Structure formats: structure tokens, C-alpha cells
Amino acid sequence: MTTTPSPLLTDVVSEDQAEFASPSGNILCLFDGKTDHTPYVRCTVIARTWTPPPKPSNCDLDWGNDLELADTASIACAGDSILGAIQFKSASPPSWFRPSTDSVVNVGARDDTPTATLSYGRTLVYGDLFCSSDRKGVTCSNIATHAPVMLARATFSTTPPTAIGTPAGALAGSWLGHGRALDITSDGVVTIEYRANSLCSDDPTPPCDVTDGNTLRYGGLVILRVATASTSASPPVIARADVVISTDPAFVVGSSQELALVSGVVGWGGMTFCGPDAEPFACGA
């Protein structure tokens, strides 16, 4: 289920809610829950040829129409529909909508549900969740837990991959810098967020930051999977990691990046990220 979107076609959702359809209009997904600090994505397929497993005894609502992903992935037991939850308005399109690649479709048989599409090759990031659209269907995953969902006309899956990345060893942990943060899980998933120092309202060229009330949402986001890592804890600890998601064209999806740990400081992409053993001010004020 690995996705390889173009870095120029990956966007971070700034809204509290977002809904997108596949270009065919057959798959619909809704991001929600950010305001309650419990983000999730729920996806439905209008026409399908697969059959869901038997309905569990503890579900008194509709079963088998939707998949849901938060920390874990599951088939949704729900009594409502996400169809038309957020209708597209040309006067105020969603922040992630790109007129040069995305379009608007009416979902299902109704003609009153205009919904923004996520064009093939595009990825949206919402909290710890991301969803990618391609011709095979829609794949979503939780960055932190690795839980995935995949939905298509002919098939579906909520089964996690057997392998995520290479163990990160001494690099595993959280590392901070001024206006930036780096987190490396023990199983080799690297998440880097950083301030772009350019507002999307002034210049939408990625990466760019978004203001949300009094909050500044950083525009730089790169997610990598460790491919090789030093087995020794003696410095320098070197790892090579492959980019799987990027909002920054300087870090191309599929490219190999080096991370190096020396004296409590991780270096990557010309930036430094400090741990508790770093010298004071090694990573900015």
C-alpha cells in the first residue's frame, strides 16, 4: 500500500473538515474530528463488487458501506451517510483544491452533491492521517500507528503491512529545533515538520504556512521510511531513508535522504534537530 505522490501534489488540509471524491465520483472520503483532537477519515464506495464480512452482533446500524480510520482501521457501523457532507462552493473552494489538477463531480446518482475531487497522484494530509488517490482506488494511512485502509470498486482492505521500515536504533525519538520538529519511531518511520517562513496567503508556492486564527500551521512536511541504519550507538549514527510524502519540492518522493546523529543533534536537509544531550542553542534559540 505504499504511495508515491508527487511532492507538488501533496497538501496539508487546514480546515477542520474536508471531503473529497475520486475523479470517477465512485469513492468519497470525509476528514473530521480535528477540533476534538480525534481526527479520523471515513470513506465510502458508491458502486462495488466486493462483499463485506458478516455483520457483527454488536452493530445495530448499517454495516459494510464505509471504512473508517483513526488510530486503527475498521469497517464502519454507522446510521448516517457522508454523501454531500461538504458541498463544493466555487466562491470558497477548500484550501487544498488545485484547479489545475482537481475537478468537481456530483457523487452517486444525485445531481445536487458537487464535491471536489482529489486527482490521481494527489495526497492530502490531515493530522496524523493521509489519503492518496490513484487509478486503483483510495489508500489512507495513519502516520503514527501505520493502520491503513484501501478502498476500490473491486476490493477493500484494513490489513496493515507486515513491515514498515528498518529499525532506527539510536535515532529513534523526538528531536526539536526552532520552528521545526523531527520524530523517528523505533520501526523507522520519520516525520519532519518545519516552518516554511512563507504564508500561503502571500505566495502559494509550496511549501507555505497557513494561519488558522492565532495558530500558524507549518507548511513543511516530509515523511520518510528508514532503509538502512547504523547498528552501533557510537557517533556518528547514520541512516538512509526514502521519502514517501513531501510538501516540499526540495525533497522529492522516492529520493533517498541521510540523517546523521552526532553529539545529541540530528542533521537532515540542512536543518538540525536537538535531543536532551545536545549543547545549548545547538538548534536555535
Side-chain angles (χ1 to χ4, degrees), residues 45 47-53 64-67 75 151-156:
V45 60
R48 68 170 190 252
T49 58
W50 50 269
T51 301
N65 295 322
D66 299 1
L67 301 182
I75 298 176
L151 190 60
R153 182 185 298 270
T155 188
F156 81 99

Side-chain angles (χ1 to χ4, degrees), residues 12 26 147-149 253 277 284:
V12 177
N26 192 48
V149 297
V253 169
D277 297 329

Side-chain angles (χ1 to χ4, degrees), residues 3-197:
T3 56
T4 55
S6 162
L8 295 178
L9 297 180
T10 299
D11 282 298
V12 177
V13 175
S14 62
E15 293 87 353
D16 292 334
Q17 292 181 309
E19 187 169 45
F20 70 88
S22 61
S24 68
N26 192 48
I27 299 173
L28 184 69
C29 293
L30 173 69
F31 289 112
D32 202 355
K34 185 186 292 183
T35 55
D36 298 328
H37 305 289
T38 55
Y40 68 88
V41 61
R42 180 176 162 192
C43 296
T44 189
V45 60
I46 307 301
R48 68 170 190 252
T49 58
W50 50 269
T51 301
K55 183 177 180 178
S57 59
N58 62 351
C59 178
D60 297 326
L61 303 172
D62 293 333
W63 169 261
N65 295 322
D66 299 1
L67 301 182
E68 191 166 275
L69 173 67
D71 289 339
T72 59
S74 63
I75 298 176
C77 175
D80 58 352
S81 170
I82 64 173
L83 185 66
I86 303 177
Q87 296 193 11
F88 180 85
K89 297 179 181 179
S90 57
S92 55
S95 63
W96 56 266
F97 184 76
R98 294 175 178 253
S100 60
T101 58
D102 302 327
S103 59
V104 180
V105 296
N106 288 310
V107 178
R110 296 167 53 180
D111 60 2
D112 61 346
T113 57
T115 304
T117 69
L118 186 67
S119 61
Y120 298 133
R122 294 264 279 126
T123 294
L124 292 182
V125 180
Y126 181 88
D128 281 342
L129 308 175
F130 71 88
C131 290
S132 297
S133 170
D134 62 35
R135 295 185 182 278
K136 296 179 182 179
V138 171
T139 300
C140 302
S141 185
N142 185 305
I143 297 166
T145 67
H146 320 309
V149 297
M150 191 280 290
L151 190 60
R153 182 185 298 270
T155 188
F156 81 99
S157 176
T158 58
T159 304
T162 55
I164 302 299
T166 298
L171 281 161
S174 296
W175 312 82
L176 300 174
H178 185 63
R180 55 192 181 274
L182 181 152
D183 183 79
I184 307 178
T185 64
S186 59
D187 55 0
V189 176
V190 183
T191 303
I192 305 169
E193 297 179 90
Y194 51 95
R195 185 172 179 173
N197 294 315

